[in-house]
Amino acid sequence: MGKKLINWEKIKRDYFAAHLNLEPGKEVSLKSLAKKYNISYGSIKNKSSQEGWKSELDRSKKKIHQKISNEMVANHVLTELEVRKKNYTAADLCLDKGV
């Protein structure tokens, strides 16, 4: 009987996809992945530790949160500029009409 082939890329992808999901409570544990792919918890724990899955995941989360924060700030600034532009337009109309 040969050695079982394990698709580590697929397992890692599942791990990341579940942990990067924005819905709380949708994360998966290494134990649940071991059960899903019928491999030992020790194997998946060793593989994830050797390859630094947790650190890579933390860096990915940080990048995503930073991008979302930047977009929120950009949208807020844009909204603020739009409000100011409307106020200036309204002020110009008032001045033009002598109000």
Side-chain angles (χ1 to χ4, degrees):
M1 199 149 121
K3 191 174 181 179
K4 180 180 179 179
L5 293 178
I6 300 171
N7 187 341
W8 288 113
E9 284 300 314
K10 184 172 182 176
I11 295 170
K12 183 179 178 181
R13 215 174 299 121
D14 278 0
Y15 175 77
F16 272 67
H19 283 271
L20 293 175
N21 189 330
L22 297 179
E23 294 180 52
K26 295 287 185 179
E27 299 89 6
V28 296
S29 67
L30 293 176
K31 286 183 181 180
S32 66
L33 285 173
K35 185 175 180 179
K36 177 180 177 180
Y37 288 99
N38 196 27
I39 57 175
S40 73
Y41 169 67
S43 293
I44 195 168
K45 184 177 180 209
N46 288 339
K47 184 72 169 177
S48 68
S49 180
Q50 288 171 353
E51 293 185 358
W53 291 6
K54 176 78 170 102
S55 298
E56 189 177 343
L57 178 65
D58 290 341
R59 285 190 304 273
S60 296
K61 282 183 177 181
K62 187 175 180 179
K63 285 180 185 177
I64 289 168
H65 288 295
Q66 187 63 47
K67 183 175 180 177
I68 290 170
S69 294
N70 290 344
E71 287 177 6
M72 289 174 69
V73 167
N75 287 338
H76 176 71
V77 169
L78 180 63
T79 302
E80 189 71 30
L81 289 174
E82 288 172 347
V83 169
R84 287 183 184 181
K85 184 178 178 182
K86 287 180 182 181
N87 287 342
Y88 280 115
T89 301
D92 285 343
L93 285 173
C94 289
L95 289 172
D96 289 344
K97 294 188 177 192
V99 177

